[in-house]
Amino acid sequence: MICLLMNVLSAPGMGRRSQPHPTSTEEVRLEALLAELTADPSNQAVMTELYALIRVPVYAYALSLVKNPYDAEDILHDTVISIHDSIGSYCASGKPMAWIITIAKNHGYGRLRRQKHVADVKIDEAILESAPSIKSVGINYYF
């Protein structure tokens, strides 16, 4: 429904310029893959090809955000899952990579927000040794 509304609004004379069609071969192929995935979300061959096309740019973008290769890999993984889960809401506008990078950006910013709340705490060995044992505080446990 939203895609239909956007197509009507982008029609000539409706106050909004129509979106340009994809120009590069990769953009055209991405658009075709997303259309195929919309028709059949369980198509593993399409997901594999889609992953091969977006892996490097999404990873590079995620790495530029979080500056950590492990987090960038997680963002890539989360992005691919989100693409699959939200493919029904994708509206072909000629910019499939922009949609994909927006998903990666949202995952990257979310990860940065979560990391901001985690503090690096160094625990001194002396503090650990002076801490009461489980038995001394009256906690019973059975193993």
Side-chain angles (χ1 to χ4, degrees):
M1 182 67 178
I2 292 174
C3 287
L4 178 61
L5 180 61
M6 288 181 68
N7 288 339
V8 168
L9 289 176
S10 65
M14 293 303 289
R16 191 173 162 195
R17 293 186 348 196
S18 62
Q19 297 290 328
H21 293 288
T23 54
S24 74
T25 14
E26 284 185 359
E27 291 282 325
V28 171
R29 187 62 194 144
L30 273 175
E31 193 77 55
L33 289 171
L34 291 173
E36 288 179 46
L37 199 57
T38 302
D40 182 14
S42 64
N43 191 334
Q44 291 297 316
V46 171
M47 279 302 294
T48 301
E49 188 175 349
L50 179 69
Y51 179 80
L53 278 174
I54 69 169
R55 180 179 58 87
V56 172
V58 170
Y59 178 80
Y61 178 75
L63 188 59
S64 74
L65 277 179
V66 295
K67 311 288 191 261
N68 179 326
Y70 301 111
D71 289 340
E73 287 175 12
D74 288 345
I75 292 168
L76 172 60
H77 177 259
D78 294 342
T79 301
V80 171
I81 290 173
S82 292
I83 289 169
H84 183 268
D85 292 346
S86 62
I87 193 64
S89 67
Y90 174 69
C91 186
S93 64
K95 301 278 185 186
M97 188 55 83
W99 181 68
I100 292 167
I101 292 295
T102 299
I103 293 171
K105 177 186 72 169
N106 292 337
H107 283 294
Y109 286 166
R111 183 168 291 270
L112 289 173
R113 272 192 305 275
R114 285 189 302 276
Q115 287 176 348
K116 188 167 51 171
H117 297 291
V118 176
D120 291 332
V121 178
K122 294 184 180 180
I123 300 176
D124 190 2
E125 290 297 321
I127 294 172
L128 286 178
E129 290 175 8
S130 67
S133 69
I134 291 177
K135 288 183 180 180
S136 68
V137 293
I139 298 174
N140 296 321
Y141 59 94
Y142 304 96
F143 292 106

